[in-house]
Amino acid sequence: MSDEWNLFAWTVFAVILPVVITLWCSVQRSKRKMVIKDILRKSKKHDWRYRDLFSKPTCCCVCSQHILQGAFCHCCGVCVDEACLRKADTSLACKEVMRAAQRDGSLPHHWVRGNVPLCAYCAVCKQQCGSQPKLCDFRCIWCQSTVHDDCKPSLSDSGKCDLGEFRNLIIPPYYLHSINQQRRGPSDDYRTLASMCGPNWTPVIVLANTRSGNNMGEELLGEFKSLLNPVQVFDLSELPPIKALQLCTVLPAGSVRVLVCGGDGTVGWVLDAVDEMKIKGQEQYVPHVTILPLGTGNDLSNSLGWGAGYAGEIPVEQVLRNIMEAEAVKLDRWKVQVTNKGYSFRKTKVLTMNNYFSVGPDALMALNFHAHREKTPSLFSSRILNKAVYFFYGTKDCLVQECKDLDKFIELELDGERVELPNLEGIIVLNIGYWGGGCRLWEGMGDETYPPSRLDDGLLEVVGVFGSFHCAQIQVKLANPVRIGQAHTVRLILKSGKMPMQVDGEPWAQGPCTITITHKTRALMLYPPGEQTDDEEDDSSSSSEPELRDQED
């Protein structure tokens, strides 16, 4: 009996003890995370982020010990252990977004010791830095120069920092200090101050949507803060673009470039803010806009030559180099007016279109996708998963055909002339060359005499599709859409029923109405060096033989 009780006691002990230890560790871990979170939240000097595991060998900048987990600052790159976090927050200086220049007008280096980038080389002896397994060597958080401990006294620049490779994109802290010292004045005053920043100074403002596409926005924010002045990097989930763009008003007119990290919806949001600047009388400060595509479709980015999606395949440094060399191009923007029939007390719905308007199966897929993403947004954080969901709804519509006999419910007018429609299920009105995540609709249509599409010609291209299966065939280049025509003004009249519609990926279900699309304004955009926009591609293809054009498409 005694042996049985001993066995029972040891069994209970063996089961309960691990549970108790696990619960105790969980409670302690929660308390530790709460304490760390409180420190990170209260910190006013550093932009701390916590890491459960550093991706490379890392030493604490306070106690010099090797650490596997801890906190690091997005702005200055300081890494610390949990125990040293409070001390680091008070004793280690972060990037100063605004400070006075030295007497000679220069900026001193701001050195941070240890944890230099991999494959970094000394600015003095040109040998590799950070090769020793300890906290050693220095990195300037402004110009990104690295130097050995022993070589630091031999620097030939007398401690003057030139802001490094991206000096033409960085807003120097001494410029903001000078602006703060004087009253707000006309643009000429800012140009006088800008002379200290060099003749080719084109500062960039980074606007990142941390909720776009594959959720790379937060990581990119940190990388841009480490390379630029943190004051010129904004998180659009915390600050709307109209407020962020007010920074343009203290910079030389016409010199600013804005990098939008997000999908086509984010780009449209920023361009709306730019239009609002014009309404406020700030048209002279309107910036040029470029894109780092993080969304699902990214058709506007593709049309401008910035690619169909960014997943870290090129370093952020190369992104900034492309911005410095980018060239200007104009983009038409259109006003979409939706006037409901039979409800005179309802206001006319007014939208702005950059990419395309559509009614039919692709709008239905977008509407279903949007409804499910609103219910469970956490499940739609992957670009591949998002496209898989689109594919599911497209397959479903192939069987159901909810938009069948569209031509019986809709009348189409191009520049005031009514167009007879074939038996279609969808109509797409295009402003750019790409549609549906990388498919070109207007090209590859044969030898018709329609002029090529452009981003700035004030014309819309109108095409039709026979259904979801036809859309899928178009995307894999097994079929062409029905090319209906080009026009300066497009009007669609939905006589009866309820149809899915979308403008730039924002869908809704619409009852009987009249939809009028007219030209609104033009936006100043940028396209990368060595790339062709839709305009250049169309010009080159129109001067080539048909066989060559077919091969390119």
Side-chain angles (χ1 to χ4, degrees), residues 396-473:
K396 177 184 175 183
D397 187 61
C398 288
L399 304 174
V400 180
Q401 291 184 314
E402 295 184 31
C403 304
K404 188 177 180 181
D405 298 326
L406 179 74
D407 55 296
K408 297 179 181 178
F409 302 99
I410 281 187
E411 292 181 1
L412 174 65
E413 295 179 4
L414 300 182
D415 289 335
E417 295 184 6
R418 183 176 175 180
V419 178
E420 292 295 329
L421 297 174
N423 186 18
L424 299 173
E425 287 192 25
I427 296 174
I428 304 169
V429 182
L430 298 159
N431 179 47
I432 61 177
Y434 284 91
W435 162 87
C439 176
R440 298 185 70 91
L441 287 182
W442 192 249
E443 283 75 14
M445 297 298 300
D447 298 327
E448 290 92 339
T449 57
Y450 291 101
S453 63
R454 294 179 58 90
L455 296 172
D456 60 351
D457 58 358
L459 285 171
L460 293 166
E461 290 72 46
V462 185
V463 299
V465 294
F466 295 118
S468 295
F469 186 69
H470 187 208
C471 290
Q473 288 180 308

Side-chain angles (χ1 to χ4, degrees), residues 345-366:
F345 58 88
R346 287 190 179 182
K347 291 184 178 180
T348 299
K349 186 177 182 179
V350 180
L351 304 168
T352 301
M353 183 186 83
N354 302 310
N355 300 357
Y356 41 74
F357 164 88
S358 70
V359 51
D362 66 322
L364 179 62
M365 287 186 282

Side-chain angles (χ1 to χ4, degrees), residues 166-457:
F166 305 114
R167 66 180 68 89
N168 290 331
L169 299 179
I170 296 174
I171 302 177
Y174 50 77
Y175 176 84
L176 294 176
H177 181 268
S178 301
I179 292 293
N180 194 46
Q181 292 299 311
Q182 70 170 28
R183 290 186 175 184
R184 297 287 294 274
S187 176
D188 293 340
D189 294 340
Y190 299 147
R191 287 199 174 276
T192 302
L193 291 175
S195 61
M196 68 177 73
C197 302
N200 300 318
W201 188 45
T202 53
V204 64
I205 297 175
V206 180
L207 307 179
N209 186 351
T210 55
R211 300 172 183 173
S212 287
N214 51 3
N215 291 332
M216 287 190 62
E218 186 172 349
E219 181 181 347
L220 288 170
L221 279 173
E223 294 191 50
F224 283 118
K225 285 181 179 179
S226 68
L227 295 172
L228 307 172
N229 190 331
V231 78
Q232 60 193 106
V233 182
F234 298 91
D235 184 354
L236 293 181
S237 64
E238 299 178 356
L239 190 73
I242 184 59
K243 292 186 177 180
L245 291 177
Q246 291 305 302
L247 181 59
C248 298
T249 62
V250 298
L251 298 170
S255 67
V256 182
R257 303 186 170 197
V258 170
L259 173 63
V260 182
C261 306
D264 288 343
T266 306
V267 177
W269 189 18
V270 173
L271 293 180
D272 287 341
V274 171
D275 287 345
E276 195 171 337
M277 290 179 65
K278 297 177 182 178
I279 296 174
K280 290 182 177 180
Q282 299 173 344
E283 187 168 1
Q284 59 178 328
Y285 300 111
V286 166
H288 288 75
V289 178
T290 183
I291 308 169
L292 186 62
L294 301 183
T296 302
N298 304 311
D299 291 308
L300 179 56
S301 171
N302 220 352
S303 298
L304 290 168
W306 295 105
Y310 178 79
E313 59 273 7
I314 62 173
V316 171
E317 291 84 355
Q318 185 58 47
V319 173
L320 293 177
R321 294 186 192 105
N322 291 340
I323 294 174
M324 287 193 293
E325 300 173 2
E327 300 180 24
V329 65
K330 291 183 179 180
L331 171 71
D332 288 324
R333 305 190 75 214
W334 301 82
K335 180 171 69 174
V336 181
Q337 292 180 291
V338 183
T339 306
N340 294 282
K341 288 188 176 181
Y343 298 95
S344 58
F345 58 88
R346 287 190 179 182
K347 291 184 178 180
T348 299
K349 186 177 182 179
V350 180
L351 304 168
T352 301
M353 183 186 83
N354 302 310
N355 300 357
Y356 41 74
F357 164 88
S358 70
V359 51
D362 66 322
L364 179 62
M365 287 186 282
L367 183 61
N368 290 329
F369 175 85
H370 184 76
H372 280 76
R373 185 171 62 176
E374 289 294 314
K375 292 179 181 177
T376 54
S378 59
L379 298 178
F380 296 86
S381 59
S382 168
R383 188 182 292 126
I384 296 177
L385 178 61
N386 293 350
K387 291 187 177 182
V389 174
Y390 267 104
F391 175 77
F392 168 76
Y393 285 120
T395 305
K396 177 184 175 183
D397 187 61
C398 288
L399 304 174
V400 180
Q401 291 184 314
E402 295 184 31
C403 304
K404 188 177 180 181
D405 298 326
L406 179 74
D407 55 296
K408 297 179 181 178
F409 302 99
I410 281 187
E411 292 181 1
L412 174 65
E413 295 179 4
L414 300 182
D415 289 335
E417 295 184 6
R418 183 176 175 180
V419 178
E420 292 295 329
L421 297 174
N423 186 18
L424 299 173
E425 287 192 25
I427 296 174
I428 304 169
V429 182
L430 298 159
N431 179 47
I432 61 177
Y434 284 91
W435 162 87
C439 176
R440 298 185 70 91
L441 287 182
W442 192 249
E443 283 75 14
M445 297 298 300
D447 298 327
E448 290 92 339
T449 57
Y450 291 101
S453 63
R454 294 179 58 90
L455 296 172
D456 60 351
D457 58 358

Side-chain angles (χ1 to χ4, degrees), residues 32 50-54 66-71 80-82:
R32 178 170 55 84
Y50 187 77
R51 280 280 175 89
D52 289 321
L53 181 66
F54 286 104
H66 287 278
I67 55 176
L68 294 176
Q69 60 183 19
V80 294
D81 192 6
E82 295 174 11

Side-chain angles (χ1 to χ4, degrees), residues 150-168:
D150 298 335
C151 297
K152 188 182 175 187
S154 304
L155 275 172
S156 59
D157 56 12
S158 304
K160 299 177 183 178
C161 178
D162 63 355
L163 299 178
E165 179 183 2
F166 305 114
R167 66 180 68 89
N168 290 331

